Amino acid sequence: MSREPLAPPASIRSYCESRGFTLRDSLIDPPFSGVLFRSRGHVEFSSVIDASNSNSPFVLAQVRNRKFTSPRVAALIIPLPRPVPNLICASTRGSLFSRLGISIHPSQRLSLEGNFNSHFTLYCPKQFAHDALYVLTPDLMAHLIDIEGVRDIEFVDDRIILYFPVRVMYANGQLDDAATLVRAVESTLRRQTELYSDSTQEAGLHKDPFRRAQLTTHQAQSRVISNTGRRIRTRATKWQRAGQILGGTAMALAAAYWVTTVASTLLP
């Protein structure tokens, strides 16, 4: 992991201008799907490098959940030729999802052969275990393991999102790593997803304008994933549960105090 200081805004702007990329300083509730984007109004992108119109398209951004004071993480978003089931590979070396207030329900764990399990914990909807094996072939798993610095990976709709500590992508001299990485993995990603089709697909889902809006291409909009495979189930993190308990306790104590005060006032 790079220990260089983060690239200053002027350096990021110069990088984008020299390559024809679009730079957005900040974006609230970006138009993406995934476990992070279910909390509407709380997701913030900054230093957004939009290379959607390049030969190897991607979006790179610093991400934080505004409900928490945790550090930002870097998200590299790469389009896929077709929608696939919602799959999450959480790093066994220290997942970043907890920093973003995300806890994945453990009932969705799926064990794979080889050494992939020593690097990532795979989660997928139960009915889509066979589909996960179709997408995550040994050569693709080897590519994912070899990505330096990546902590978490999510396949969702027609995208793959790679999560990194911010410095891995945004340190001085590191910005080109995103484009290099995309070029290195896109052929394998395309090969493993362009022929995928959900055998449980529900007729007419592509007519739903909300679901169509989550997809990036006309080809993808003609194919969607059925309800059971579209979204991984999440649950409250231990800190969120602790906050809920403390909040409930505080409300109960306040209510008891109010009742006691009113009673003492009304009774002789």
Side-chain angles (χ1 to χ4, degrees):
M1 184 186 303
S2 174
R3 294 296 179 184
E4 292 290 328
L6 292 181
S11 175
I12 299 174
R13 187 168 301 279
S14 176
Y15 168 81
C16 290
E17 289 174 352
S18 66
R19 290 159 179 78
F21 300 159
T22 300
L23 176 65
R24 294 180 174 84
D25 294 328
S26 181
L27 187 61
I28 305 298
D29 272 350
F32 297 111
S33 45
V35 291
L36 175 62
F37 306 98
R38 299 178 191 178
S39 181
R40 308 307 300 170
H42 298 295
V43 179
E44 179 184 9
F45 276 16
S46 59
S47 299
V48 185
I49 298 172
D50 185 349
S52 298
N53 294 323
S54 67
N55 292 331
S56 298
F58 68 89
V59 172
L60 175 65
Q62 297 182 32
V63 188
R64 75 181 181 103
N65 189 329
R66 298 197 298 167
K67 292 174 65 177
F68 302 92
T69 58
S70 55
R72 299 174 187 269
V73 303
L76 177 62
I77 304 169
I78 306 172
L80 300 174
R82 290 195 181 188
V84 295
N86 194 186
L87 309 175
I88 288 178
C89 307
S91 174
T92 58
R93 296 172 297 149
S95 174
L96 298 176
F97 282 137
S98 60
R99 295 189 187 183
L100 299 169
I102 298 168
S103 178
I104 303 166
H105 203 286
S107 65
Q108 300 161 108
R109 285 181 186 154
L110 177 64
S111 180
L112 298 177
E113 296 180 355
N115 67 339
F116 192 77
N117 293 324
S118 64
H119 295 272
F120 296 100
T121 301
L122 173 63
Y123 299 88
C124 77
K126 288 185 176 180
Q127 298 90 331
F128 283 78
H130 181 270
D131 301 67
L133 298 177
Y134 178 91
V135 174
L136 290 172
T137 56
D139 58 338
L140 179 54
M141 287 190 287
H143 270 295
L144 298 180
I145 290 172
D146 287 342
I147 297 175
E148 185 176 357
V150 70
R151 293 293 183 84
D152 301 302
I153 301 167
E154 180 175 14
F155 293 82
V156 56
D157 293 334
D158 61 341
R159 301 179 183 90
I160 181 173
I161 307 175
L162 308 175
Y163 291 94
F164 303 82
V166 167
R167 290 189 181 278
V168 172
M169 287 294 170
Y170 279 90
N172 277 332
Q174 299 296 114
L175 291 175
D176 262 329
D177 285 0
T180 301
L181 172 57
V182 172
R183 289 193 296 270
V185 302
E186 63 179 350
S187 61
T188 305
L189 288 170
R190 186 183 309 110
R191 184 169 62 251
Q192 292 311 126
T193 58
E194 64 184 353
L195 298 179
Y196 173 77
S197 179
D198 176 9
S199 59
T200 69
Q201 183 174 328
E202 299 170 13
L205 285 182
H206 64 281
K207 298 178 181 179
D208 185 327
F210 177 78
R211 296 188 182 179
R212 286 171 61 92
Q214 300 299 310
L215 305 172
T216 57
T217 67
H218 177 74
Q219 179 187 19
Q221 289 171 357
S222 66
R223 294 178 177 272
V224 295
I225 303 300
S226 65
N227 283 333
T228 54
R230 290 183 66 246
R231 297 296 179 259
I232 287 283
R233 291 166 54 216
T234 58
R235 62 179 184 175
T237 66
K238 62 180 180 180
W239 298 112
Q240 290 169 335
R241 291 195 294 271
Q244 291 167 356
I245 292 171
L246 289 175
T249 301
M251 291 179 63
L253 290 174
Y257 175 78
W258 181 83
V259 170
T260 302
T261 301
V262 171
S264 62
T265 301
L266 297 177
L267 295 176

